[in-house]
Amino acid sequence: WSSLPDDELFRTAERGQLSDSNVLNAQARRMLKDVKSDALAENFAAQWLEFRNLDFVHRDPARFPQFTPDLRDAMRTETELFVEYVLHQDRSILDFLEANYTFVNELLATLYNIPGVVGDHFRQVDLAGTPRVGVLTQASVLTVTSYATRTSPVLRGKWILENILNAPPPPPPANVAALRDPSSEPALTLRQQLEEHRANPACAGCHARMDTLGFGLENFDAIGRWRSHDEALPVDAAGTLPDGSTFSTPAELAAILAKRPQAFAECLTEKLMTFALGRGLDAEDRETATQIAQSAAKNDYRFSDLILGVINSHCFRADGNEHE
C-alpha cells in the first residue's frame, strides 16, 4: 500500500495474530484486493521496470515531435494499468512477457497504430495482429532504454538481463569510446557500429550478451514506434542466443524469454524482496528467492504466490536488527 496499516491490520497485529501464517496470508490477500495495492504498480513496478525514469527522459524535438508531456504520461499510465491488471486478476507473471493485451488511450493507440480507439480514457485492447506483446514492447520501457536521438540495443539488452533474466552484466570498463550518432555515419547501421565496438576485447564478452537481446527490439524507435528502417537502412532484429535459440522479431524474442520462466520468476522475486526489505540481498536471501520461485511454478507463477512467498519468508518476518 505504501502507507500506514489500516485499523483491521493494526487490530490483528495488536492481538499477536500475524505470527499465524494463515492469518498473515489472509491479511495479505485482503490488502492485495484493495485498490490501495495499486501502489505496487506506481512504486514497485516503476522501480523494477524503470519507467519512473520517464520523468527524466528528453527527446530531440526535431526527430521526435510526437514526444509530448501527454504522451509521456500515457506511456506511464499504460504500464501502471497493465501491472495493476496482472496483480488484481492474479494472473501469471508470464503475462509480463507474453500477454496479447494492453491498455491505451487515443494518443498511445495512434503511436501504436491501433485503430478504433477514440478519447483520452484508457481501455484494454487486444494486440493480436500487432507486433507488440507484454511489457518488452510497451513504449515506457522502449523509451527509457533509448537515447535522446536514437535507440540503444546496449541499454535494452542490459535492461533484459537485469530485469527479466536475473543476469546483470558487470560495469563497463573505463575509457571506452562512445558510439557515434548514426546520422554521422549514414553508411553504417547501428549493428555494424556495435560490431566495431565489440572488436575491443574488453567489451566483447558483455556486449555479445547485451547486444543480441537489444537488437531483438530494434524494430521500435526511441519512443516505441514500429519501424522497418532506421536512417534509410533496413532494421535487422534477428539474433541467436548462446543456447542456439534464434529469433527475428520482437515477439519471437519475447516468446524465447517466456520459455525461461524460472529465471524470470527468480528475478521478479528478488526485486520484490529488495523492495519489501528496503535493502540489498545476501546469498541466503537469494536462495530463498529461488525457493519461492520454484514453489510458484506449481500454480503457473501467479503474482500473488510470489508476494505471499516473500511475506512468509524468514528474511521478511525476522527482526530487522539481524541485518544491522
PDB file of all heavy atoms in Angstrom, residues 80-107:
ATOM      1  N   GLU A  80       1.398   1.139 -15.784  1.00  0.00           N
ATOM      2  CA  GLU A  80       0.782   1.042 -14.466  1.00  0.00           C
ATOM      3  C   GLU A  80      -0.516   0.233 -14.525  1.00  0.00           C
ATOM      4  O   GLU A  80      -0.743  -0.653 -13.689  1.00  0.00           O
ATOM      5  CB  GLU A  80       0.507   2.435 -13.903  1.00  0.00           C
ATOM      6  CG  GLU A  80       1.752   3.187 -13.456  1.00  0.00           C
ATOM      7  CD  GLU A  80       1.430   4.564 -12.926  1.00  0.00           C
ATOM      8  OE1 GLU A  80       0.262   4.997 -13.071  1.00  0.00           O
ATOM      9  OE2 GLU A  80       2.337   5.217 -12.377  1.00  0.00           O
ATOM     10  N   LEU A  81      -1.365   0.524 -15.503  1.00  0.00           N
ATOM     11  CA  LEU A  81      -2.626  -0.204 -15.636  1.00  0.00           C
ATOM     12  C   LEU A  81      -2.392  -1.679 -15.944  1.00  0.00           C
ATOM     13  O   LEU A  81      -3.119  -2.554 -15.454  1.00  0.00           O
ATOM     14  CB  LEU A  81      -3.491   0.424 -16.735  1.00  0.00           C
ATOM     15  CG  LEU A  81      -4.076   1.809 -16.436  1.00  0.00           C
ATOM     16  CD1 LEU A  81      -4.790   2.365 -17.658  1.00  0.00           C
ATOM     17  CD2 LEU A  81      -5.020   1.750 -15.243  1.00  0.00           C
ATOM     18  N   PHE A  82      -1.374  -1.954 -16.738  1.00  0.00           N
ATOM     19  CA  PHE A  82      -1.041  -3.337 -17.066  1.00  0.00           C
ATOM     20  C   PHE A  82      -0.643  -4.103 -15.803  1.00  0.00           C
ATOM     21  O   PHE A  82      -1.122  -5.216 -15.555  1.00  0.00           O
ATOM     22  CB  PHE A  82       0.089  -3.366 -18.098  1.00  0.00           C
ATOM     23  CG  PHE A  82       0.463  -4.739 -18.565  1.00  0.00           C
ATOM     24  CD1 PHE A  82      -0.155  -5.299 -19.672  1.00  0.00           C
ATOM     25  CD2 PHE A  82       1.430  -5.480 -17.908  1.00  0.00           C
ATOM     26  CE1 PHE A  82       0.180  -6.572 -20.099  1.00  0.00           C
ATOM     27  CE2 PHE A  82       1.778  -6.749 -18.326  1.00  0.00           C
ATOM     28  CZ  PHE A  82       1.154  -7.300 -19.431  1.00  0.00           C
ATOM     29  N   VAL A  83       0.235  -3.511 -14.997  1.00  0.00           N
ATOM     30  CA  VAL A  83       0.675  -4.173 -13.765  1.00  0.00           C
ATOM     31  C   VAL A  83      -0.494  -4.343 -12.808  1.00  0.00           C
ATOM     32  O   VAL A  83      -0.651  -5.399 -12.171  1.00  0.00           O
ATOM     33  CB  VAL A  83       1.815  -3.374 -13.099  1.00  0.00           C
ATOM     34  CG1 VAL A  83       2.200  -4.005 -11.757  1.00  0.00           C
ATOM     35  CG2 VAL A  83       3.032  -3.308 -14.011  1.00  0.00           C
ATOM     36  N   GLU A  84      -1.332  -3.310 -12.688  1.00  0.00           N
ATOM     37  CA  GLU A  84      -2.496  -3.409 -11.809  1.00  0.00           C
ATOM     38  C   GLU A  84      -3.418  -4.552 -12.244  1.00  0.00           C
ATOM     39  O   GLU A  84      -3.964  -5.278 -11.402  1.00  0.00           O
ATOM     40  CB  GLU A  84      -3.262  -2.088 -11.810  1.00  0.00           C
ATOM     41  CG  GLU A  84      -2.538  -0.959 -11.096  1.00  0.00           C
ATOM     42  CD  GLU A  84      -3.174   0.395 -11.346  1.00  0.00           C
ATOM     43  OE1 GLU A  84      -4.306   0.423 -11.890  1.00  0.00           O
ATOM     44  OE2 GLU A  84      -2.547   1.425 -11.020  1.00  0.00           O
ATOM     45  N   TYR A  85      -3.588  -4.712 -13.538  1.00  0.00           N
ATOM     46  CA  TYR A  85      -4.459  -5.776 -14.042  1.00  0.00           C
ATOM     47  C   TYR A  85      -3.885  -7.152 -13.694  1.00  0.00           C
ATOM     48  O   TYR A  85      -4.615  -8.029 -13.196  1.00  0.00           O
ATOM     49  CB  TYR A  85      -4.620  -5.636 -15.555  1.00  0.00           C
ATOM     50  CG  TYR A  85      -5.535  -6.674 -16.168  1.00  0.00           C
ATOM     51  CD1 TYR A  85      -6.915  -6.497 -16.147  1.00  0.00           C
ATOM     52  CD2 TYR A  85      -5.018  -7.818 -16.773  1.00  0.00           C
ATOM     53  CE1 TYR A  85      -7.765  -7.445 -16.710  1.00  0.00           C
ATOM     54  CE2 TYR A  85      -5.864  -8.771 -17.334  1.00  0.00           C
ATOM     55  CZ  TYR A  85      -7.232  -8.580 -17.296  1.00  0.00           C
ATOM     56  OH  TYR A  85      -8.071  -9.526 -17.846  1.00  0.00           O
ATOM     57  N   VAL A  86      -2.607  -7.353 -13.946  1.00  0.00           N
ATOM     58  CA  VAL A  86      -1.980  -8.644 -13.615  1.00  0.00           C
ATOM     59  C   VAL A  86      -2.098  -8.911 -12.116  1.00  0.00           C
ATOM     60  O   VAL A  86      -2.365 -10.036 -11.685  1.00  0.00           O
ATOM     61  CB  VAL A  86      -0.506  -8.655 -14.061  1.00  0.00           C
ATOM     62  CG1 VAL A  86       0.190  -9.942 -13.610  1.00  0.00           C
ATOM     63  CG2 VAL A  86      -0.399  -8.520 -15.580  1.00  0.00           C
ATOM     64  N   LEU A  87      -1.934  -7.862 -11.317  1.00  0.00           N
ATOM     65  CA  LEU A  87      -1.997  -8.006  -9.865  1.00  0.00           C
ATOM     66  C   LEU A  87      -3.420  -8.327  -9.401  1.00  0.00           C
ATOM     67  O   LEU A  87      -3.644  -9.319  -8.702  1.00  0.00           O
ATOM     68  CB  LEU A  87      -1.510  -6.715  -9.207  1.00  0.00           C
ATOM     69  CG  LEU A  87      -1.602  -6.640  -7.686  1.00  0.00           C
ATOM     70  CD1 LEU A  87      -0.616  -7.626  -7.055  1.00  0.00           C
ATOM     71  CD2 LEU A  87      -1.305  -5.229  -7.202  1.00  0.00           C
ATOM     72  N   HIS A  88      -4.399  -7.523  -9.804  1.00  0.00           N
ATOM     73  CA  HIS A  88      -5.757  -7.680  -9.286  1.00  0.00           C
ATOM     74  C   HIS A  88      -6.458  -8.912  -9.857  1.00  0.00           C
ATOM     75  O   HIS A  88      -7.323  -9.489  -9.189  1.00  0.00           O
ATOM     76  CB  HIS A  88      -6.577  -6.425  -9.568  1.00  0.00           C
ATOM     77  CG  HIS A  88      -6.140  -5.241  -8.765  1.00  0.00           C
ATOM     78  ND1 HIS A  88      -6.036  -5.266  -7.394  1.00  0.00           N
ATOM     79  CD2 HIS A  88      -5.759  -3.980  -9.145  1.00  0.00           C
ATOM     80  CE1 HIS A  88      -5.625  -4.091  -6.960  1.00  0.00           C
ATOM     81  NE2 HIS A  88      -5.432  -3.296  -7.999  1.00  0.00           N
ATOM     82  N   GLN A  89      -6.090  -9.306 -11.069  1.00  0.00           N
ATOM     83  CA  GLN A  89      -6.658 -10.525 -11.642  1.00  0.00           C
ATOM     84  C   GLN A  89      -5.861 -11.761 -11.231  1.00  0.00           C
ATOM     85  O   GLN A  89      -6.235 -12.879 -11.595  1.00  0.00           O
ATOM     86  CB  GLN A  89      -6.699 -10.418 -13.173  1.00  0.00           C
ATOM     87  CG  GLN A  89      -7.562  -9.282 -13.695  1.00  0.00           C
ATOM     88  CD  GLN A  89      -9.020  -9.458 -13.337  1.00  0.00           C
ATOM     89  OE1 GLN A  89      -9.566 -10.558 -13.418  1.00  0.00           O
ATOM     90  NE2 GLN A  89      -9.664  -8.363 -12.934  1.00  0.00           N
ATOM     91  N   ASP A  90      -4.793 -11.533 -10.500  1.00  0.00           N
ATOM     92  CA  ASP A  90      -3.887 -12.598 -10.050  1.00  0.00           C
ATOM     93  C   ASP A  90      -3.483 -13.502 -11.200  1.00  0.00           C
ATOM     94  O   ASP A  90      -3.580 -14.727 -11.137  1.00  0.00           O
ATOM     95  CB  ASP A  90      -4.513 -13.415  -8.923  1.00  0.00           C
ATOM     96  CG  ASP A  90      -3.453 -14.212  -8.146  1.00  0.00           C
ATOM     97  OD1 ASP A  90      -2.246 -13.875  -8.266  1.00  0.00           O
ATOM     98  OD2 ASP A  90      -3.820 -15.147  -7.418  1.00  0.00           O
ATOM     99  N   ARG A  91      -3.025 -12.886 -12.260  1.00  0.00           N
ATOM    100  CA  ARG A  91      -2.613 -13.633 -13.435  1.00  0.00           C
ATOM    101  C   ARG A  91      -1.172 -14.109 -13.277  1.00  0.00           C
ATOM    102  O   ARG A  91      -0.448 -13.703 -12.372  1.00  0.00           O
ATOM    103  CB  ARG A  91      -2.764 -12.762 -14.679  1.00  0.00           C
ATOM    104  CG  ARG A  91      -4.224 -12.398 -14.941  1.00  0.00           C
ATOM    105  CD  ARG A  91      -4.408 -11.669 -16.229  1.00  0.00           C
ATOM    106  NE  ARG A  91      -3.977 -12.476 -17.374  1.00  0.00           N
ATOM    107  CZ  ARG A  91      -4.739 -13.360 -18.008  1.00  0.00           C
ATOM    108  NH1 ARG A  91      -5.972 -13.600 -17.584  1.00  0.00           N
ATOM    109  NH2 ARG A  91      -4.295 -14.017 -19.054  1.00  0.00           N
ATOM    110  N   SER A  92      -0.757 -14.972 -14.174  1.00  0.00           N
ATOM    111  CA  SER A  92       0.621 -15.453 -14.171  1.00  0.00           C
ATOM    112  C   SER A  92       1.563 -14.296 -14.485  1.00  0.00           C
ATOM    113  O   SER A  92       1.267 -13.440 -15.324  1.00  0.00           O
ATOM    114  CB  SER A  92       0.796 -16.564 -15.212  1.00  0.00           C
ATOM    115  OG  SER A  92       2.172 -16.854 -15.397  1.00  0.00           O
ATOM    116  N   ILE A  93       2.710 -14.295 -13.827  1.00  0.00           N
ATOM    117  CA  ILE A  93       3.701 -13.253 -14.117  1.00  0.00           C
ATOM    118  C   ILE A  93       4.232 -13.382 -15.540  1.00  0.00           C
ATOM    119  O   ILE A  93       4.830 -12.438 -16.064  1.00  0.00           O
ATOM    120  CB  ILE A  93       4.874 -13.295 -13.121  1.00  0.00           C
ATOM    121  CG1 ILE A  93       5.610 -14.640 -13.212  1.00  0.00           C
ATOM    122  CG2 ILE A  93       4.387 -13.015 -11.709  1.00  0.00           C
ATOM    123  CD1 ILE A  93       6.945 -14.653 -12.476  1.00  0.00           C
ATOM    124  N   LEU A  94       3.989 -14.527 -16.184  1.00  0.00           N
ATOM    125  CA  LEU A  94       4.431 -14.680 -17.572  1.00  0.00           C
ATOM    126  C   LEU A  94       3.674 -13.749 -18.499  1.00  0.00           C
ATOM    127  O   LEU A  94       4.107 -13.511 -19.629  1.00  0.00           O
ATOM    128  CB  LEU A  94       4.280 -16.135 -18.021  1.00  0.00           C
ATOM    129  CG  LEU A  94       5.153 -17.145 -17.266  1.00  0.00           C
ATOM    130  CD1 LEU A  94       4.970 -18.539 -17.837  1.00  0.00           C
ATOM    131  CD2 LEU A  94       6.624 -16.735 -17.305  1.00  0.00           C
ATOM    132  N   ASP A  95       2.556 -13.176 -18.024  1.00  0.00           N
ATOM    133  CA  ASP A  95       1.871 -12.159 -18.817  1.00  0.00           C
ATOM    134  C   ASP A  95       2.778 -10.965 -19.080  1.00  0.00           C
ATOM    135  O   ASP A  95       2.627 -10.271 -20.086  1.00  0.00           O
ATOM    136  CB  ASP A  95       0.604 -11.681 -18.106  1.00  0.00           C
ATOM    137  CG  ASP A  95      -0.600 -12.558 -18.390  1.00  0.00           C
ATOM    138  OD1 ASP A  95      -0.394 -13.741 -18.750  1.00  0.00           O
ATOM    139  OD2 ASP A  95      -1.743 -12.090 -18.245  1.00  0.00           O
ATOM    140  N   PHE A  96       3.706 -10.706 -18.174  1.00  0.00           N
ATOM    141  CA  PHE A  96       4.634  -9.595 -18.394  1.00  0.00           C
ATOM    142  C   PHE A  96       5.455  -9.810 -19.668  1.00  0.00           C
ATOM    143  O   PHE A  96       5.933  -8.850 -20.258  1.00  0.00           O
ATOM    144  CB  PHE A  96       5.573  -9.434 -17.201  1.00  0.00           C
ATOM    145  CG  PHE A  96       4.919  -8.859 -15.980  1.00  0.00           C
ATOM    146  CD1 PHE A  96       4.765  -9.620 -14.833  1.00  0.00           C
ATOM    147  CD2 PHE A  96       4.446  -7.555 -15.984  1.00  0.00           C
ATOM    148  CE1 PHE A  96       4.159  -9.093 -13.702  1.00  0.00           C
ATOM    149  CE2 PHE A  96       3.836  -7.019 -14.861  1.00  0.00           C
ATOM    150  CZ  PHE A  96       3.684  -7.789 -13.715  1.00  0.00           C
ATOM    151  N   LEU A  97       5.603 -11.060 -20.067  1.00  0.00           N
ATOM    152  CA  LEU A  97       6.413 -11.378 -21.244  1.00  0.00           C
ATOM    153  C   LEU A  97       5.578 -11.702 -22.472  1.00  0.00           C
ATOM    154  O   LEU A  97       6.010 -11.422 -23.594  1.00  0.00           O
ATOM    155  CB  LEU A  97       7.341 -12.557 -20.940  1.00  0.00           C
ATOM    156  CG  LEU A  97       8.334 -12.358 -19.799  1.00  0.00           C
ATOM    157  CD1 LEU A  97       9.143 -13.631 -19.584  1.00  0.00           C
ATOM    158  CD2 LEU A  97       9.247 -11.173 -20.072  1.00  0.00           C
ATOM    159  N   GLU A  98       4.409 -12.286 -22.295  1.00  0.00           N
ATOM    160  CA  GLU A  98       3.702 -12.812 -23.463  1.00  0.00           C
ATOM    161  C   GLU A  98       2.235 -12.409 -23.560  1.00  0.00           C
ATOM    162  O   GLU A  98       1.498 -12.958 -24.374  1.00  0.00           O
ATOM    163  CB  GLU A  98       3.808 -14.343 -23.485  1.00  0.00           C
ATOM    164  CG  GLU A  98       3.283 -15.032 -22.227  1.00  0.00           C
ATOM    165  CD  GLU A  98       3.524 -16.537 -22.240  1.00  0.00           C
ATOM    166  OE1 GLU A  98       4.170 -17.022 -23.188  1.00  0.00           O
ATOM    167  OE2 GLU A  98       3.075 -17.222 -21.298  1.00  0.00           O
ATOM    168  N   ALA A  99       1.801 -11.423 -22.783  1.00  0.00           N
ATOM    169  CA  ALA A  99       0.398 -11.005 -22.854  1.00  0.00           C
ATOM    170  C   ALA A  99       0.074 -10.419 -24.220  1.00  0.00           C
ATOM    171  O   ALA A  99       0.846  -9.629 -24.772  1.00  0.00           O
ATOM    172  CB  ALA A  99       0.103  -9.980 -21.766  1.00  0.00           C
ATOM    173  N   ASN A 100      -1.089 -10.770 -24.747  1.00  0.00           N
ATOM    174  CA  ASN A 100      -1.530 -10.227 -26.038  1.00  0.00           C
ATOM    175  C   ASN A 100      -2.565  -9.125 -25.843  1.00  0.00           C
ATOM    176  O   ASN A 100      -3.460  -8.920 -26.662  1.00  0.00           O
ATOM    177  CB  ASN A 100      -2.101 -11.331 -26.933  1.00  0.00           C
ATOM    178  CG  ASN A 100      -3.335 -11.980 -26.312  1.00  0.00           C
ATOM    179  OD1 ASN A 100      -3.711 -11.689 -25.168  1.00  0.00           O
ATOM    180  ND2 ASN A 100      -3.977 -12.856 -27.066  1.00  0.00           N
ATOM    181  N   TYR A 101      -2.447  -8.396 -24.732  1.00  0.00           N
ATOM    182  CA  TYR A 101      -3.343  -7.279 -24.437  1.00  0.00           C
ATOM    183  C   TYR A 101      -2.537  -6.149 -23.793  1.00  0.00           C
ATOM    184  O   TYR A 101      -1.439  -6.363 -23.267  1.00  0.00           O
ATOM    185  CB  TYR A 101      -4.462  -7.709 -23.477  1.00  0.00           C
ATOM    186  CG  TYR A 101      -3.947  -8.199 -22.135  1.00  0.00           C
ATOM    187  CD1 TYR A 101      -3.686  -7.306 -21.090  1.00  0.00           C
ATOM    188  CD2 TYR A 101      -3.702  -9.546 -21.903  1.00  0.00           C
ATOM    189  CE1 TYR A 101      -3.202  -7.744 -19.866  1.00  0.00           C
ATOM    190  CE2 TYR A 101      -3.221  -9.996 -20.691  1.00  0.00           C
ATOM    191  CZ  TYR A 101      -2.968  -9.095 -19.672  1.00  0.00           C
ATOM    192  OH  TYR A 101      -2.481  -9.527 -18.469  1.00  0.00           O
ATOM    193  N   THR A 102      -3.083  -4.945 -23.840  1.00  0.00           N
ATOM    194  CA  THR A 102      -2.520  -3.823 -23.110  1.00  0.00           C
ATOM    195  C   THR A 102      -3.610  -2.796 -22.911  1.00  0.00           C
ATOM    196  O   THR A 102      -4.794  -3.056 -23.172  1.00  0.00           O
ATOM    197  CB  THR A 102      -1.287  -3.229 -23.815  1.00  0.00           C
ATOM    198  OG1 THR A 102      -0.611  -2.352 -22.906  1.00  0.00           O
ATOM    199  CG2 THR A 102      -1.667  -2.469 -25.069  1.00  0.00           C
ATOM    200  N   PHE A 103      -3.240  -1.584 -22.439  1.00  0.00           N
ATOM    201  CA  PHE A 103      -4.209  -0.539 -22.123  1.00  0.00           C
ATOM    202  C   PHE A 103      -3.744   0.764 -22.772  1.00  0.00           C
ATOM    203  O   PHE A 103      -2.614   1.212 -22.531  1.00  0.00           O
ATOM    204  CB  PHE A 103      -4.329  -0.364 -20.602  1.00  0.00           C
ATOM    205  CG  PHE A 103      -4.803  -1.617 -19.912  1.00  0.00           C
ATOM    206  CD1 PHE A 103      -3.908  -2.631 -19.578  1.00  0.00           C
ATOM    207  CD2 PHE A 103      -6.150  -1.796 -19.618  1.00  0.00           C
ATOM    208  CE1 PHE A 103      -4.345  -3.795 -18.956  1.00  0.00           C
ATOM    209  CE2 PHE A 103      -6.593  -2.951 -19.005  1.00  0.00           C
ATOM    210  CZ  PHE A 103      -5.694  -3.953 -18.671  1.00  0.00           C
ATOM    211  N   VAL A 104      -4.596   1.343 -23.598  1.00  0.00           N
ATOM    212  CA  VAL A 104      -4.211   2.541 -24.348  1.00  0.00           C
ATOM    213  C   VAL A 104      -5.350   3.557 -24.377  1.00  0.00           C
ATOM    214  O   VAL A 104      -6.513   3.211 -24.191  1.00  0.00           O
ATOM    215  CB  VAL A 104      -3.819   2.197 -25.804  1.00  0.00           C
ATOM    216  CG1 VAL A 104      -2.615   1.277 -25.853  1.00  0.00           C
ATOM    217  CG2 VAL A 104      -4.997   1.574 -26.553  1.00  0.00           C
ATOM    218  N   ASN A 105      -4.970   4.819 -24.595  1.00  0.00           N
ATOM    219  CA  ASN A 105      -5.932   5.843 -24.970  1.00  0.00           C
ATOM    220  C   ASN A 105      -5.688   6.191 -26.433  1.00  0.00           C
ATOM    221  O   ASN A 105      -4.858   5.554 -27.104  1.00  0.00           O
ATOM    222  CB  ASN A 105      -5.829   7.063 -24.056  1.00  0.00           C
ATOM    223  CG  ASN A 105      -4.471   7.755 -24.158  1.00  0.00           C
ATOM    224  OD1 ASN A 105      -3.577   7.314 -24.889  1.00  0.00           O
ATOM    225  ND2 ASN A 105      -4.326   8.841 -23.430  1.00  0.00           N
ATOM    226  N   GLU A 106      -6.387   7.189 -26.943  1.00  0.00           N
ATOM    227  CA  GLU A 106      -6.250   7.508 -28.354  1.00  0.00           C
ATOM    228  C   GLU A 106      -4.830   7.920 -28.713  1.00  0.00           C
ATOM    229  O   GLU A 106      -4.296   7.528 -29.762  1.00  0.00           O
ATOM    230  CB  GLU A 106      -7.224   8.624 -28.734  1.00  0.00           C
ATOM    231  CG  GLU A 106      -7.190   8.991 -30.212  1.00  0.00           C
ATOM    232  CD  GLU A 106      -8.216  10.043 -30.585  1.00  0.00           C
ATOM    233  OE1 GLU A 106      -8.999  10.456 -29.692  1.00  0.00           O
ATOM    234  OE2 GLU A 106      -8.241  10.457 -31.764  1.00  0.00           O
ATOM    235  N   LEU A 107      -4.199   8.705 -27.843  1.00  0.00           N
ATOM    236  CA  LEU A 107      -2.852   9.194 -28.132  1.00  0.00           C
ATOM    237  C   LEU A 107      -1.867   8.037 -28.271  1.00  0.00           C
ATOM    238  O   LEU A 107      -1.077   7.982 -29.226  1.00  0.00           O
ATOM    239  CB  LEU A 107      -2.405  10.140 -27.011  1.00  0.00           C
ATOM    240  CG  LEU A 107      -1.077  10.871 -27.209  1.00  0.00           C
ATOM    241  CD1 LEU A 107      -1.124  11.773 -28.430  1.00  0.00           C
ATOM    242  CD2 LEU A 107      -0.761  11.694 -25.957  1.00  0.00           C
TER     243      LEU A 107
END
